[in-house]
Amino acid sequence: MINVTYQGDQLIAYKVTGDKNVPKGEITFQVDLSPIKPKVIGGDKLDMPLQPISLTEKAAKKWGTKQLPRYRGLGRVAEPGFTNEQWMEGQLILISQEYFSFAWVPIETQIFFGRPSPELALKMLRENGVAAAPGLKSWESPPSIDADVDVLKDFAATCLDLTTEDVEESLQGDPFSCIWHGVDTEECFFQ
């Protein structure tokens, strides 16, 4: 699972669930989405935008488009333990509003991404320990809005962990114990 953020025209994909090579929290790929203006040096055109991928008629019908836009980027690879990490040429391919892929060109590897349902996202986060609550940091008061971004992230993560822990505790292990059936009960009511 990745978290896609933007800084200006730069798309940055952070690993939410890591693997043995690139751990969670690290950038897995980044793509410059700004319009590319071709440079001409000695008659050679450099930095030309990538041509879109033309789809077959059958694929075009399935995806609702005849061409898939592509953008140049950099993909990160590493050996186990995040050793010998390096950046290599890559391409972001936009498939639809719900799907895209990133290709690590030199190693001929492509991964497809889709927008997960909220339920699947929470399940994946729990299974990978992202929302786990061991050794929670305690805060006397929230950090100021001017605090370092890492401090703010740490505070937000702690809030998520405490909320998750509190909700799970209140459900007493039964995720369906608070389904509202139109009648207020002591365990489940609307204010």
Side-chain angles (χ1 to χ4, degrees), residues 63-78:
W63 295 107
T65 185
K66 292 181 179 183
Q67 297 182 328
L68 303 179
R70 297 185 296 164
Y71 297 89
R72 295 182 197 280
L74 294 173
R76 189 179 241 171
V77 295

Side-chain angles (χ1 to χ4, degrees), residues 72-116:
R72 295 182 197 280
L74 294 173
R76 189 179 241 171
V77 295
E79 293 177 8
F82 200 48
T83 58
N84 196 26
E85 63 94 14
Q86 55 189 307
W87 293 96
M88 65 175 51
E89 176 189 357
Q91 295 180 8
L92 175 74
I93 302 163
L94 301 178
I95 301 166
S96 71
Q97 289 187 344
E98 297 295 318
Y99 300 97
F100 67 92
S101 71
F102 189 83
W104 285 258
V105 175
I107 60 173
E108 299 179 354
T109 299
Q110 184 172 4
I111 297 178
F112 290 82
F113 298 93
R115 189 182 312 267

